[in-house]
Amino acid sequence: MGGSFHGAGVITLDAKGRLAIPTRHRDVLVAARKPLVLTAHPDGCALLYQEPEWETTRTKVEKFPSFDPRASWWKRLLLGLQEHVLPEVQA
């Protein structure tokens, strides 16, 4: 897959706030046993990055001009809501 996942699917949170990843992607992510970064998209989507790819994105976002209202909004959204997680299989 080259570090990139494509496709659409319905992803939900359970009562404990856990994100259910589609099986076709989950097996690869769990097998890698590497941290993931979850953040938000303004269209109500979740963005999921493997940590090295996130660091590249984060570096670019941090360079957005702080005094530009639109750029500042993107920085707050992407960086402010980032959550680092280690994928695990729930029984």
Side-chain angles (χ1 to χ4, degrees):
M1 284 190 194
S4 179
F5 298 99
H6 302 279
V10 175
I11 298 177
T12 58
L13 293 175
D14 69 10
K16 293 182 179 180
R18 294 176 295 196
L19 180 70
I21 305 294
T23 305
R24 67 182 185 271
H25 301 313
R26 183 178 55 236
D27 295 340
V28 173
L29 295 171
V30 170
R33 301 216 28 91
K34 294 182 180 177
L36 302 171
V37 179
L38 180 67
T39 192
H41 187 278
D43 290 338
C45 302
L47 299 174
L48 184 64
Y49 291 86
Q50 291 180 335
E51 205 163 58
E53 287 77 18
W54 170 250
E55 291 304 317
T56 301
T57 300
R58 184 185 55 78
T59 299
K60 291 177 185 176
V61 172
E62 285 178 336
K63 292 179 182 176
F64 289 179
S66 295
F67 296 107
D68 177 302
R70 188 163 171 84
S72 183
W73 179 83
W74 274 100
K75 284 174 83 169
R76 284 192 314 275
L77 179 72
L78 294 171
L79 302 180
L81 295 177
Q82 68 181 307
E83 183 75 29
H84 295 253
V85 296
L86 186 60
E88 59 184 60
V89 175
Q90 296 294 321

